[in-house]
Amino acid sequence: MNKIIQYFELIQSLILSLPNIVIERYTEQILSKDRGNLRIKLRFHDNSLLEISEAIYFGQNARKYLSY
């Protein structure tokens, strides 16, 4: 399994473990085996909103964030 898919699965499991949130948007886009985009929009119980748009790159010069 490639690193982008592993990363998306990790983020999705972390979000699903959060209590009292509504997932308004969760969009994964795999661009290549080393690149992807992620868009997340979460609504919390107090009606606050968190919106994240992330471009991910796991190339040779990228830092190592995942340890499997």
Side-chain angles (χ1 to χ4, degrees):
M1 188 180 305
N2 69 42
K3 290 181 182 180
I4 293 295
I5 293 172
Q6 290 175 330
Y7 181 75
F8 287 157
E9 289 176 353
L10 174 66
I11 297 299
Q12 188 175 39
S13 68
L14 290 171
I15 290 171
L16 291 173
S17 71
L18 295 172
N20 301 319
I21 65 161
V22 174
I23 302 169
E24 292 187 4
R25 170 191 261 173
Y26 184 91
T27 306
E28 300 171 350
Q29 183 181 24
I30 298 173
L31 302 172
S32 72
K33 67 182 184 85
D34 295 329
R35 293 179 57 220
N37 294 323
L38 183 60
R39 289 188 175 92
I40 303 168
K41 189 176 191 180
L42 305 175
R43 177 86 52 190
F44 293 87
H45 72 283
D46 64 353
N47 212 29
S48 59
L49 182 66
L50 174 63
E51 193 166 357
I52 300 168
S53 180
E54 180 178 23
I56 302 109
Y57 173 66
F58 288 110
Q60 290 179 345
N61 296 326
R63 291 183 181 172
K64 185 175 181 182
Y65 291 104
L66 300 178
S67 55
Y68 291 96

